[in-house]
Amino acid sequence: MKKNIPYFQCVAVIVTLSVSLILNIFVFNKPLYFGLIIGLIASFIVGIINGYNIRTLINFAYAGLKKSSKVLIMLSMIAMLIGIWKVGGVIPAMLYYSFGMINERIFLVSSFIISSAISMLMGTSTGTVSTVGIVLIGLGSAMNIPLPAIAGTIISGAFFGDRTSPISSVFNLVSTMTETSPHENSKYFMKTISIGAVLSIIFYFVIGLNYTGMNSNAHNIIDYKNLMTQYANISPLLLIPPVILIVFYAFKLTALYTMAASVAIGTIFSIVYQRISAIEVVKAAVMGFHPSMPAEYSVVLAGGGLVSFKTMFIVLVCATSLNGVFEGTKMVETLIEPILKKIKTSRELMLFTIGFSIVSALFMCNQVISIIVPSGVLMQRYKDMGIDKKEFARLLSDSGVMVSSIIPWNVAALTPASIMGVSVISYLPYAFLSYIMPIISAVSILFFQNNSLAFKRGNMNEESHS
């Protein structure tokens, strides 16, 4: 007979999950999904002890996985698109022309803006850091600007796109888990991110005044531009594919159709403009682009493809399956029920969402879990209180999604830190956007949010969107 799982057993599962994640990352140097699998096994054991049969628990896991099916397809499209855009010269062209935006007197501001723009177009923070991020690190270091300061601007810009880009897997996961429309979210999210972006530019301008007397790096920019032209036929025409992507999305085509069209257009440009075979394009889509060049440069142009995203696929599958079990057995809800009972107003619930998402990112070491776990536990509360679900989606994006980039043991921070060769602790003070976003959201709730339980109640009957 099924019964409510005792509080201490729920704590045991969460502790097992957290410890296994930390050990796998820092001690055994294993992928994150090993820790998630151990947590999944622990949840199954506790579920069986409390009367749930294996078939029921598997159904719970499948229900959680099913929610992310479209996100997994989206992630596959992004992986293929990056490989195709790299071999087809689209990303080299984006980098080539973005270098024209670099102003040596306001290098940090330029770095933030360029990283934000590239991240919005690529839809991935890791892809942004491993391309334009590496270039900016090289250019900035040649000017004797401290690497942590440069890395902080890159992280802020990279996660600006991770949170806001319509083709970001994280952005679409938030939309899926909160049952909201990505098109509506892209406009609604600007409510707070625009403030964060302006404050970030001011912050980097002020910090950058300390480095205005550094040496010129114009020759380094020329070197990188020459590198791009060696491995691709650079032309403004190569900017057409990302422009088409933006136009398609502006006309409210679904993200999947937009990505599918972008993959097809990128393939055509690769074959026609770069004069490579269809087989080479398919190889880049699956295995990524790996040109023969010195190691210090290959990290800029190499990468992409389905294979490079395999770890992210497995993490997403394991995390959503685990959350399905958590939802079905109400483990996490049991843990936070004493707090939820004290929440009486919409304002309190929204503030709790920010804190809960950040705590999830702290203990679960993963950006994806900071979205999945809070959405699974709190979604019904938002419906019951009549709070606009877009508000829920935005709060998750402003909190756990952004803060994950500055948590030293979170994979979302460890990955870009290892790529740039700068520790998370070092760049943390300069990753301004990552820690200002939760503050902006909290201030917005405290001083500008309607405290009525019927807040935007008209959206209660809003249908779910893909």
Side-chain angles (χ1 to χ4, degrees):
M1 179 180 177
K2 301 173 187 176
K3 56 183 180 181
N4 293 331
I5 297 177
Y7 190 87
F8 79 93
Q9 290 185 17
C10 296
V11 172
V13 171
I14 299 299
V15 170
T16 300
L17 173 61
S18 300
V19 171
S20 62
L21 288 170
I22 293 171
L23 289 177
N24 272 283
I25 295 172
F26 296 104
V27 179
F28 302 114
N29 197 28
K30 296 291 183 181
L32 187 73
Y33 56 77
F34 282 104
L36 292 171
I37 291 172
I38 292 173
L40 191 58
I41 293 171
S43 67
F44 264 64
I45 292 173
V46 169
I48 292 171
I49 291 173
N50 288 276
Y52 293 90
N53 60 52
I54 294 180
R55 186 184 183 89
T56 300
L57 293 170
I58 291 175
N59 287 336
F60 287 158
Y62 176 72
L65 174 60
K66 192 175 179 181
K67 287 183 179 180
S68 68
S69 58
K70 291 182 179 179
V71 178
L72 289 170
I73 296 172
M74 185 76 177
L75 189 60
S76 301
M77 297 274 191
I78 293 171
M80 291 190 292
L81 186 65
I82 291 175
I84 292 171
W85 275 9
K86 285 195 171 186
V87 74
V90 175
I91 289 178
M94 288 163 57
L95 294 176
Y96 183 91
Y97 291 110
S98 69
F99 293 156
M101 299 170 60
I102 295 178
N103 187 317
E104 296 169 14
R105 304 185 69 177
I106 50 171
F107 180 85
L108 295 183
V109 173
S110 300
S111 176
F112 170 68
I113 293 174
I114 291 170
S115 298
S116 299
I118 297 295
S119 184
M120 283 292 291
L121 291 172
M122 292 180 65
T124 164
S125 56
T126 302
T128 301
V129 172
S130 61
T131 53
V132 70
I134 294 297
V135 174
L136 291 169
I137 285 285
L139 298 178
S141 62
M143 298 174 65
N144 297 318
I145 297 176
L147 292 183
I150 307 168
T153 66
I154 296 166
I155 290 295
S156 288
F159 278 79
F160 177 94
D162 218 22
R163 173 203 178 277
T164 313
S165 173
I167 64 169
S168 163
S169 58
V170 173
F171 174 84
N172 282 277
L173 179 63
V174 170
S175 300
T176 298
M177 297 304 296
T178 56
E179 301 175 6
T180 51
S181 164
H183 287 285
E184 293 183 9
N185 285 346
S186 63
K187 292 182 287 186
Y188 193 76
F189 285 11
M190 295 305 294
K191 176 180 177 181
T192 50
I193 196 68
S194 56
I195 299 173
V198 171
L199 292 177
S200 295
I201 290 173
I202 295 172
F203 175 80
Y204 292 129
F205 176 78
V206 173
I207 295 295
L209 293 177
N210 297 319
Y211 314 119
T212 53
M214 300 302 177
N215 297 326
S216 172
N217 69 326
H219 65 283
N220 291 298
I221 295 177
I222 293 173
D223 289 342
Y224 275 106
K225 282 191 170 185
N226 290 335
L227 174 69
M228 301 299 150
T229 57
Q230 287 177 24
Y231 292 91
N233 296 319
I234 302 297
S235 166
L237 294 175
L238 290 172
L239 300 179
I240 291 176
V243 169
I244 292 176
L245 186 151
I246 295 171
V247 171
F248 280 2
Y249 197 82
F251 279 96
K252 297 189 175 181
L253 269 72
T254 64
L256 291 179
Y257 286 128
T258 299
M259 289 303 300
S262 298
V263 168
I265 294 167
T267 300
I268 294 171
F269 268 77
S270 299
I271 295 172
V272 174
Y273 204 81
Q274 300 299 334
R275 297 179 181 177
I276 58 178
S277 67
I279 294 177
E280 289 180 280
V281 176
V282 172
K283 184 179 178 181
V286 177
M287 305 301 296
F289 179 50
H290 302 284
S292 299
M293 61 171 63
E296 63 268 25
Y297 295 117
S298 64
V299 69
V300 178
L301 295 182
L306 287 169
V307 173
S308 67
F309 278 60
K310 63 181 184 298
T311 299
M312 182 61 180
F313 289 134
I314 301 174
V315 166
L316 192 56
V317 168
C318 293
T320 51
S321 299
L322 179 61
N323 186 65
V325 177
F326 282 167
E327 282 190 40
T329 57
K330 300 187 183 301
M331 285 190 197
V332 177
E333 193 169 339
T334 298
L335 284 174
I336 64 172
E337 185 60 30
I339 300 175
L340 291 178
K341 285 182 177 178
K342 297 178 181 180
I343 294 176
K344 304 299 182 183
T345 67
S346 58
R347 178 174 290 157
E348 291 173 351
L349 180 61
M350 288 185 282
L351 288 173
F352 176 75
T353 300
I354 295 173
F356 187 29
S357 182
I358 293 174
V359 169
S360 297
L362 283 167
F363 282 92
M364 306 301 183
C365 311
N366 186 256
Q367 186 185 46
V368 170
I369 300 178
S370 71
I371 300 167
I372 294 174
V373 171
S375 62
V377 176
L378 301 178
M379 186 66 190
Q380 190 57 48
R381 299 270 176 170
Y382 274 77
K383 292 178 179 178
D384 292 342
M385 284 193 172
I387 305 174
D388 193 339
K389 289 181 288 187
K390 294 195 298 292
E391 189 74 21
F392 186 24
R394 184 182 62 77
L395 292 174
L396 292 177
S397 297
D398 286 347
S399 52
V401 169
M402 295 301 298
V403 172
S404 291
S405 65
I406 55 174
I407 298 173
W409 52 88
N410 195 294
V411 174
L414 289 171
T415 301
S418 63
I419 292 172
M420 294 184 292
V422 182
S423 71
V424 180
I425 293 295
S426 297
Y427 75 62
L428 191 155
Y430 301 98
F432 186 78
L433 188 67
S434 294
Y435 58 77
I436 197 65
M437 288 310 302
I439 297 174
I440 292 173
S441 269
V443 170
S444 174
I445 292 168
L446 288 171
F447 297 102
F448 303 103
Q449 201 71 276
N450 183 356
N451 196 36
S452 169
L453 294 181
F455 177 66
K456 295 184 179 178
R457 192 175 295 275
N459 286 280
M460 289 183 67
N461 297 321
E462 180 185 351
E463 296 181 354
S464 300
H465 293 271
S466 62

